[in-house]
Amino acid sequence: MSTSPRAAQQKFEPWKDPEAKPYVRIEKITKQFGDFLAVDDVSLDIYKKEIFCLLGASGCGKTTLLRMLAGFERPTSGRIYIDGVDMTSIPPYERPVNMMFQSYAVFPHMTVEQNVAFGLKQEGLPRTEIAKRVVDMLDLVKLGQFAKRKPHQLSGGQRQRVALARSLVKKPKLLLLDEPLAALDKKLREHTQFELINIQETLGVTFIVVTHDQEEAMTLSSRIGLMNHGEIIQVGTPSEMYEYPASRFAAEFIGSVNMFEGRLIEDEPSYVRIECDDLEVPIYVDHGISSSPGATVWAAIRPEKIMMSREKPQQADNWASAIVQDIAYMGDMSIYLLRLDSGKVVRITQPNTYRHADDRITWDERVHLSWHPESPVVVTK
Amino acid sequence: MKQGITVFRAIVLTLGFAFLYIPIASLIVYSFNESRLVTVWGGFSTKWYGALFRNEQILNAAWLSIKVAVLSATLAVVLGTLAGMVLARFGPFKGRTLLSGLTTAPLVMPEVITGLSLLLLFVTMEQLIGWPAGRGMTTIVISHITFTMAFVTVVVQSRLSQMDDSLEEAAMDLGARPHKVFFLITLPIIFPALLSGWLLAFTLSLDDLVITSFVAGPGSSTLPMVIFSKVRLGVSPDINALATILVVIVAIGALVAGIFTARQKKIRDRDAQMALAANQQMIESLKKG
Ligand SMILES: Nc1ncnc2c1ncn2[C@@H]1O[C@H](COP(=O)(O)OP(=O)(O)O)[C@@H](O)[C@H]1O
Ligand SMILES: [Mg+2]
């Protein structure tokens, strides 16, 4: 799983600062199409210079939310503030916001240069300034040599850059990107992700990015807003979303996870024990949760946090016995699918630290799994 | 077996072409006939072309037809574009079905009915408001707009529904007000559709006989009306000459359109190659960087 390079570089956490004013405030926004609720009571605060990702499956209302920020859809109820100004009923051509469309929407009858200059011409800027800003922007996105080309003479990746340059050259307060990388092939996508972050940091623009790809969200974002059926399920940094999912949906949507359904048999402030039908021994978690004894809960354990050995572990809790059902060699690591005696299949990953490991665990072997008491995340919904 | 199919194919092809082109070929051949009798060959001559260009009635009718066709095609494109735009872009507003039905009704309405109802309309209007006074070019142009606009609307609407909506939204997003979006983005992109709509309207107007006969007045006969009335008295060789000229004009038009399309295809192929090369270049530079 990739982690955000931003988080590694510096501490950028305005959302933790009670003094910080949100740059974009989405207040109880609802959008109905007829009887259909596309966006359901969404409230979000987004801060200056963030890359905020709206993540969710196709059809969950991400684009609709973005289009309300751009001004193409009127919210059924709720308000939108940008930099403190109420934008709810301002038309798109008067908002200090630009959007990069999923189809890129590059004007087919104009050259690259004309595409990028279009927005500046609408502002009525002097010709020399337009020319200068267009050249600078084309250099930034590495399209200088293609300035005179028409869009149909460009590759998909280049068209994406034209769309990006065209919105950024207007120096918007906020850039909205709808699935910016979905149309690119995998290699180009990875490269473009990092370039997008670089450009965002160079210009200091606030980005709101819509994506259905959780890896893309993890790589790009300062924070993620996870959506389902028009609602925001959870908001957090990529590592919070991965390590502390608040629901089964969040745990399963981001990364892969082994989910054990069980009952709370011991519920103390400092630890809990969970009895699962799939496991012989209980799961022991070294922190308390807010639920009551006997309640149905789920313990989510990430594949890389489960250890595997031939010997039976010494501890009383947090282990299981299984048979190797399948192994997938991925190069940097291997994925093992292990069948518990109950029939449940558990997925674990192991790094391939050594090149020649002679006694590697192989197909149909009986093995023992174990995990640390801090590893499971217990969710109640 | 294979031989059989080839022979069969050749016969069908020959018969098909013969069916389509023999009438036209004979028309062209007889336009150079010396004899006054259309079906008797009397030797080669171009005298009927001379006669044609001295025939005031035919020249006047041709000029009127061209004026009517240009005027009504142009106005039909303006109105048809507005209607197509409203139908394709304004969503499910109240009365949309009615508008859609009204604009496209002339496509399915028998021409006699369209012609008769327009005539009744013009007569009533003249009695009530005194306009249009009498029947002539004005009434012909109005009638031609009515039925050619339906075709333009359909062409424009289908082109607009193929067009990516987000192009217009992107322009608005970049600060263009709605009327600028229309003139700077929508219009240039749908321009080829407008052009073909105009040509369609022009051709339809040029050869309409039925509707025109209802709404034309004395002294405002169009070319199809003159040809039709002359032919009723027997086919005369100067009509053959006129028809030959029309065939030549149409053939040149088709040829130019063909060459144009072929050139477009060549340009498209070249552009596709360029995009492919650009992609390659980008991948190379990614590998290096
Ligand atoms: N203009 C519209 N009219 C009716 N339904 C719409 C419209 N736009 C979007 N929807 C519906 O709203 C839901 C959310 O759409 P969208 O925001 O595009 O989802 P996402 O971008 O997350 O895939 C979808 O079910 C879609 O069919
Ligand atoms: Mg979408």
Side-chain angles (χ1 to χ4, degrees):
Chain A
M1 180 56 50
S2 37
T3 53
S4 166
R6 299 178 60 106
Q9 274 166 23
Q10 79 243 43
K11 273 268 183 275
F12 172 78
E13 300 177 324
W15 50 89
K16 285 194 178 160
D17 177 2
E19 299 284 288
K21 275 221 319 255
Y23 199 55
V24 179
R25 162 157 271 175
I26 299 172
E27 213 174 77
K28 292 181 171 304
I29 285 287
T30 294
K31 178 72 192 180
Q32 259 175 313
F33 292 113
D35 291 340
F36 180 75
L37 205 53
V39 172
D40 186 2
D41 194 24
V42 167
S43 294
L44 278 175
D45 280 346
I46 295 164
Y47 294 85
K48 204 165 184 151
K49 301 193 180 177
E50 269 204 81
I51 298 187
F52 191 94
C53 276
L54 288 168
L55 174 66
S58 174
C60 72
K62 308 178 297 285
T63 300
T64 307
L65 186 54
L66 209 64
R67 288 171 60 80
M68 287 192 281
L69 285 166
F72 296 121
E73 306 279 1
R74 271 290 186 86
T76 309
S77 67
R79 306 219 74 81
I80 292 170
Y81 300 90
I82 297 173
D83 205 5
V85 182
D86 187 346
M87 287 284 156
T88 320
S89 47
I90 306 277
Y93 43 86
E94 282 170 3
R95 291 194 188 199
V97 170
N98 285 111
M99 175 152 167
M100 202 177 116
F101 289 81
Q102 186 165 8
S103 63
Y104 304 147
V106 176
F107 305 134
H109 58 299
M110 297 185 191
T111 62
V112 169
E113 215 170 35
Q114 289 165 336
N115 262 282
V116 178
F118 184 87
L120 298 177
K121 279 193 187 146
Q122 303 313 310
E123 288 176 31
L125 294 177
R127 198 170 290 181
T128 46
E129 190 188 338
I130 294 181
K132 185 177 176 316
R133 273 167 73 174
V134 168
V135 169
D136 289 350
M137 187 48 68
L138 287 180
D139 282 345
L140 183 71
V141 299
K142 305 194 179 81
L143 279 179
Q145 62 189 115
F146 300 108
K148 302 276 185 238
R149 286 216 186 164
K150 285 280 190 72
H152 53 262
Q153 298 166 333
L154 300 176
S155 68
Q158 289 165 332
R159 254 175 266 169
Q160 186 250 12
R161 280 152 197 262
V162 176
L164 184 66
R166 189 176 68 178
S167 341
L168 282 174
V169 79
K170 299 259 297 178
K171 300 189 179 156
K173 289 183 174 178
L174 174 65
L175 184 66
L176 310 169
L177 301 98
D178 193 357
E179 308 267 3
L181 308 173
L184 306 183
D185 54 52
K186 192 168 158 43
K187 257 246 148 60
L188 201 55
R189 197 155 60 213
E190 273 170 23
H191 179 85
T192 313
Q193 276 173 5
F194 288 100
E195 204 174 88
L196 215 52
I197 295 172
N198 277 337
I199 290 176
Q200 190 265 348
E201 280 176 354
T202 312
L203 301 178
V205 184
T206 310
F207 276 23
I208 299 181
V209 183
V210 156
T211 178
H212 67 272
D213 179 340
Q214 45 110 1
E215 270 189 60
E216 194 171 298
M218 299 292 266
T219 315
L220 283 176
S221 55
S222 57
R223 284 188 302 156
I224 294 172
L226 181 62
M227 287 185 76
N228 190 27
H229 295 311
E231 286 179 286
I232 292 275
I233 301 290
Q234 189 179 354
V235 178
T237 63
S239 64
E240 281 166 6
M241 299 299 281
Y242 188 75
E243 301 292 352
Y244 304 102
S247 60
R248 267 189 300 160
F249 179 82
E252 279 166 352
F253 198 91
I254 295 174
S256 43
V257 75
N258 297 295
M259 196 66 74
F260 296 97
E261 183 175 343
R263 284 164 308 283
L264 217 50
I265 47 171
E266 280 179 60
D267 181 21
E268 299 295 328
S270 61
Y271 73 90
V272 292
R273 261 202 185 81
I274 300 163
E275 184 184 68
C276 303
D277 292 340
D278 286 321
L279 299 172
E280 291 163 51
V281 298
I283 295 178
Y284 173 86
V285 187
D286 68 354
H287 54 82
I289 62 161
S290 52
S291 191
S292 48
T296 301
V297 295
W298 289 266
I301 314 178
R302 299 287 182 192
E304 75 280 5
K305 295 194 168 64
I306 299 180
M307 292 157 292
M308 176 173 69
S309 66
R310 292 196 174 92
E311 297 78 38
K312 184 173 173 302
Q314 298 301 309
Q315 69 229 43
D317 305 310
N318 288 350
W319 64 269
S321 153
I323 291 183
V324 178
Q325 179 179 313
D326 217 340
I327 307 172
Y329 178 74
M330 309 293 286
D332 53 345
M333 56 152 191
S334 293
I335 299 171
Y336 287 75
L337 296 182
L338 309 165
R339 198 176 58 248
L340 302 182
D341 297 337
S342 71
K344 184 181 172 71
V345 174
V346 173
R347 175 191 173 104
I348 77 162
T349 54
Q350 295 240 304
N352 290 326
T353 316
Y354 302 104
R355 204 157 164 198
H356 304 289
D358 288 336
D359 65 340
R360 215 173 251 159
I361 290 172
T362 182
W363 274 269
D364 294 332
E365 265 193 75
R366 178 158 286 274
V367 292
H368 292 90
L369 313 178
S370 60
W371 51 89
H372 295 301
E374 88 225 10
S375 295
V377 175
V378 183
V379 293
T380 54
K381 56 176 192 264
Chain B
M1 187 66 200
K2 207 158 189 180
Q3 192 75 29
I5 287 178
T6 320
V7 171
F8 176 72
R9 202 187 281 169
I11 291 171
V12 169
L13 204 65
T14 315
L15 284 177
F17 274 121
F19 182 72
L20 286 174
Y21 290 112
I22 283 181
I24 297 176
S26 72
L27 183 138
I28 294 174
V29 168
Y30 278 112
S31 77
F32 295 105
N33 190 0
E34 168 76 49
S35 162
R36 166 164 288 279
L37 297 165
V38 175
T39 44
V40 181
W41 183 252
F44 181 84
S45 156
T46 55
K47 73 175 187 191
W48 299 115
Y49 287 87
L52 186 67
F53 286 110
R54 282 188 305 272
N55 187 333
E56 285 270 327
Q57 191 200 6
I58 285 183
L59 289 183
N60 284 340
W63 179 230
L64 177 69
S65 275
I66 289 172
K67 275 193 295 188
V68 166
V70 169
L71 212 59
S72 59
T74 308
L75 289 171
V77 164
V78 173
L79 294 175
T81 306
L82 290 179
M85 191 76 192
V86 167
L87 288 175
R89 284 285 184 271
F90 282 53
F93 58 90
K94 229 186 188 146
R96 186 184 186 282
T97 323
L98 184 67
L99 177 66
S100 163
L102 280 180
T103 46
T104 50
L107 291 178
V108 288
M109 196 77 77
E111 280 192 89
V112 229
I113 294 185
T114 310
L116 185 61
S117 57
L118 281 165
L119 175 63
L120 292 175
L121 173 76
F122 291 139
V123 170
T124 317
M125 277 173 70
E126 194 180 1
Q127 281 167 359
L128 288 180
I129 58 172
W131 187 88
R135 279 162 294 289
M137 188 169 143
T138 315
T139 49
I140 300 177
V141 169
I142 293 174
S143 312
H144 283 200
I145 292 172
T146 311
F147 80 91
T148 54
M149 180 187 142
F151 292 88
V152 179
T153 306
V154 169
V155 171
V156 170
Q157 192 187 346
S158 85
R159 178 68 190 92
L160 279 174
S161 58
Q162 282 167 23
M163 186 178 150
D164 182 5
D165 295 7
S166 49
L167 288 171
E168 287 159 334
E169 287 178 345
M172 215 185 280
D173 186 68
L174 292 166
R177 279 155 193 284
H179 69 275
K180 279 207 142 179
V181 174
F182 179 75
F183 286 110
L184 296 177
I185 306 296
T186 318
L187 211 52
I189 291 175
I190 64 167
F191 185 73
L194 298 190
L195 198 63
S196 68
W198 191 91
L199 286 173
L200 190 62
F202 181 85
T203 336
L204 288 168
S205 163
L206 202 61
D207 81 9
D208 180 74
L209 176 63
V210 180
I211 294 176
T212 317
S213 307
F214 276 97
V215 297
S220 63
S221 295
T222 60
L223 196 57
M225 287 168 75
V226 171
I227 294 176
F228 190 69
S229 65
K230 278 177 96 74
V231 169
R232 268 197 312 197
L233 306 173
V235 181
S236 62
D238 54 348
I239 294 295
N240 279 346
L242 177 63
T244 304
I245 291 173
L246 289 179
V247 167
V248 169
I249 291 173
V250 170
I252 290 174
L255 195 70
V256 169
I259 292 172
F260 187 71
T261 318
R263 257 231 338 247
Q264 289 271 305
K265 185 175 157 10
K266 226 182 197 160
I267 292 172
R268 256 205 317 277
D269 287 350
R270 199 198 58 204
D271 288 347
Q273 292 270 311
M274 251 166 121
L276 217 64
N279 208 7
Q280 207 60 41
Q281 226 171 331
M282 194 139 156
I283 290 170
E284 297 280 309
S285 77
L286 285 188
K287 274 185 189 151
K288 266 186 243 142

